[in-house]
Amino acid sequence: MSNLFIASAALLAIAASSLAFGLRYLFAREYLFYHAQLTGLAWGDIPSHYQAIILGMLKMVGAGLLAFGLALAWLVLPFSRGESWSFWAILSLVSVHGFISIYVTIVLRKINPSAQTNVFASFVGVAVAMTALVIGQF
C-alpha cells in the first residue's frame, strides 16, 4: 500500500467525519449536550426567539462542515494522483477550518472547563490531516 493511498484514505475519513457532523448540526432541533453544559440551561429554558437564533447558527455551522467535507473529499481525487497543487489547496482548507475549530472549542472550554467541547476531536482532525499531507509527499 502506497503512502499516497494511506494519506488519501485518512483525508477521506476526515471528510466523512465532517459530513456526518455537518448533517448532525444541520438537522438539530435543539442544541447538543455540550452546549447545554456551556450555558447551564436546558433547551426548554431558553426563550423561543433565542432558540431560533441558536438553531440558525447551528445550521450555518452544519453547512460549513458540509462544505469543508465536500471540498476535502473532492480535493482528495487530485491529491491521490499526486497533483502538487492539491497539497496546497488541502493545506489551506484544513488550516482555516481546523485551526479556527480548535480555537473556538478551546475558548468555549474556558467558559466552562467541565463542558465536553470537541477540543480533542478538532485537534486530532487537524493533526491527522497534516500528517496525511506529509505522508503523501513521500
Side-chain angles (χ1 to χ4, degrees), residues 30-116:
E30 62 184 55
Y31 61 30
L32 304 176
F33 72 93
Y34 44 87
H35 301 132
Q37 291 173 333
L38 285 166
T39 64
L41 297 171
W43 182 250
D45 295 337
I46 297 173
S48 62
H49 57 285
Y50 291 142
Q51 286 181 355
I53 293 167
I54 293 168
L55 286 176
M57 288 188 288
L58 286 176
K59 290 182 186 329
M60 288 191 306
V61 169
L65 288 164
L66 287 172
F68 171 79
L70 284 172
L72 183 57
W74 279 111
L75 286 168
V76 169
L77 292 172
F79 180 78
S80 68
R81 292 190 298 256
E83 296 179 26
S84 61
W85 68 268
S86 63
F87 170 91
W88 297 106
I90 293 171
L91 179 64
S92 300
L93 184 67
V94 169
S95 295
V96 171
H97 180 268
F99 288 116
I100 290 172
S101 295
I102 291 170
Y103 171 76
V104 169
T105 55
I106 289 171
V107 168
L108 291 176
R109 178 74 59 92
K110 286 181 179 180
I111 292 169
N112 182 349
S114 66
Q116 297 173 355

